[in-house]
């Protein structure tokens, strides 16, 4: 069991690391933090990596700054000190951390670019969220902007590749808002009727492509990006990757 953990840590795709932070790619299908299971999660893998490079007594500190849904892969930053965690968390709350996603949606918005401003309510019992009126108790503001960068026919479906800038970080936000505005994500079994009840199969076509933030100590603005993974993305042209 010990050897397997070391091997997994070595396979972690680390984009940047110093004494304060660690930036890595979260694989599709892995939890962002510790889950109630024996499956690998990002926090455990980051801890294994730190222990492997610099073994010491005690468990290393790994601060969770933001999260990605289990079926969503992409760029994440973790803090290695409490001060770094506080700095990065402040950037998140003040909307100073820029998150760019790519998503494949079924259909096409009326406009090639735009913004969605909604209020979301999380149903913890059923692990889902929905768009509700502003006055509903527990409703939280959700904002994103999108740009359609490509369009293709997949089977009988017209699908679009959307570049999405997430301004707030709500539960299932992109999945809920895109579905609520008539263009649900490809492969989303929770919010896309085409993929519910086993009618079709596939992973959620959503990937955290880019993350920009200010380093907690050097104050340098840093950007990290990873090409979206998944067969469905290969159907489309990713302009920034050309």
């Amino acid at each position: 069991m010990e050897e397997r953990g070391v091997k997994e840590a070595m396979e972690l795709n680390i984009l940047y690391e110093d004494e304060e932070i660690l930036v890595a790619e979260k694989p599709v299908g892995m939890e962002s933090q510790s889950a109630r299971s024996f499956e690998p999660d990002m926090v455990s893998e980051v801890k294994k990596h730190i222990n492997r490079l610099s073994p010491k007594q005690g468990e290393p500190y790994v601060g969770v700054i933001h999260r990605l849904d289990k079926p969503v892969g992409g760029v994440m930053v973790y803090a290695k000190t409490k001060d770094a965690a506080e700095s990065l968390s402040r950037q998140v709350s003040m909307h100073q951390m820029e998150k760019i996603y790519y998503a494949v949606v079924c259909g096409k918005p009326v406009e090639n670019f735009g913004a969605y401003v909604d209020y979301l309510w999380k149903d913890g019992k059923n692990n889902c969220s929905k768009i509700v009126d502003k006055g509903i108790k527990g409703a939280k503001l959700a904002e994103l902007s999108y740009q359609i960068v490509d369009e293709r026919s997949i089977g009988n479906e017209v699908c679009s590749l959307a570049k999405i800038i997430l301004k707030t970080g709500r539960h299932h936000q992109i999945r809920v808002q895109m579905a609520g505005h008539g263009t649900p994500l490809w492969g989303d079994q929770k919010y896309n009727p085409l993929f519910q009840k086993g009618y079709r199969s596939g992973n959620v076509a959503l990937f955290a492509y880019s993350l920009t933030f200010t380093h907690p100590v050097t104050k340098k603005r840093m950007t990290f990006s990873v090409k979206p993974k998944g067969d469905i993305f290969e159907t489309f042209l990713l302009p920034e990757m050309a």
Side-chain angles (χ1 to χ4, degrees):
M1 184 66 70
E2 183 74 14
E3 293 181 358
R4 179 174 178 268
V6 171
K7 181 179 179 182
E8 287 173 352
M10 292 176 65
E11 293 176 349
L12 198 62
N13 181 19
I14 296 173
L15 307 177
Y16 177 85
E17 182 180 10
D18 59 23
E19 294 298 317
E20 305 291 330
I21 63 173
L22 183 145
V23 182
E25 176 187 355
K26 184 186 92 66
V28 172
M30 181 180 284
E31 297 282 3
S32 298
Q33 62 188 100
S34 301
R36 297 176 183 176
S37 69
F38 293 103
E39 295 180 8
D41 65 85
M42 282 296 291
V43 171
S44 298
E45 295 306 298
V46 169
K47 287 180 178 180
K48 290 174 187 177
H49 165 78
I50 294 173
N51 277 328
R52 181 175 60 83
L53 290 185
S54 54
K56 60 181 180 181
Q57 290 185 347
E59 192 170 337
Y61 176 86
V62 176
V64 178
I65 309 304
H66 59 124
R67 297 166 179 81
L68 293 176
D69 296 343
K70 184 177 180 179
V72 180
V75 183
M76 297 194 70
V77 60
Y78 290 91
K80 294 173 66 176
T81 68
K82 291 184 178 180
D83 287 344
E86 183 178 340
S87 173
L88 291 170
S89 296
R90 190 182 309 116
Q91 292 180 49
V92 172
S93 63
M94 297 179 68
H95 309 301
Q96 296 172 342
M97 185 175 287
E98 184 179 81
K99 305 171 185 176
I100 299 178
Y101 292 73
Y102 274 106
V104 176
V105 301
C106 293
K108 182 182 179 182
V110 176
E111 302 291 340
N112 282 330
F113 58 90
Y116 294 148
V117 179
D118 300 296
Y119 283 84
L120 302 189
W121 177 79
K122 179 181 178 181
D123 181 353
K125 183 178 180 180
N126 296 306
N127 189 32
C128 67
S129 291
K130 59 183 70 176
I131 295 176
V132 297
D133 293 333
K134 180 179 179 180
I136 299 296
K137 183 179 179 181
K140 294 183 178 181
L141 179 67
E143 296 183 69
L144 62 78
S145 60
Y146 71 87
Q147 178 184 358
I148 301 302
V149 296
D150 196 14
E151 181 183 335
R152 299 292 163 98
S153 293
I154 303 176
N156 296 323
E157 299 292 330
V158 174
C159 295
S160 304
L161 177 67
K163 178 181 179 182
I164 297 171
I165 298 179
L166 193 62
K167 296 185 178 181
T168 54
R170 307 306 180 197
H171 179 255
H172 293 175
Q173 181 179 336
I174 293 176
R175 298 163 65 184
V176 175
Q177 285 191 279
M178 297 309 287
H181 289 272
T183 53
L185 269 61
W186 177 272
D188 195 339
Q189 297 180 26
K190 190 176 288 287
Y191 300 104
N192 189 341
L194 287 176
F195 289 85
Q196 291 171 350
K197 299 180 181 179
Y199 177 62
R200 287 186 177 179
S201 61
N203 294 321
V204 177
L206 179 63
F207 198 88
Y209 158 71
S210 174
L211 187 66
T212 300
F213 57 88
T214 300
H215 192 282
V217 175
T218 68
K219 305 306 178 184
K220 177 182 177 182
R221 198 70 176 160
M222 310 177 79
T223 298
F224 302 93
S225 60
V226 173
K227 183 177 181 180
K229 303 293 195 303
D231 293 341
I232 191 67
F233 285 106
E234 296 176 4
T235 306
F236 295 86
L237 177 64
L238 294 165
E240 292 161 280
M241 302 296 178

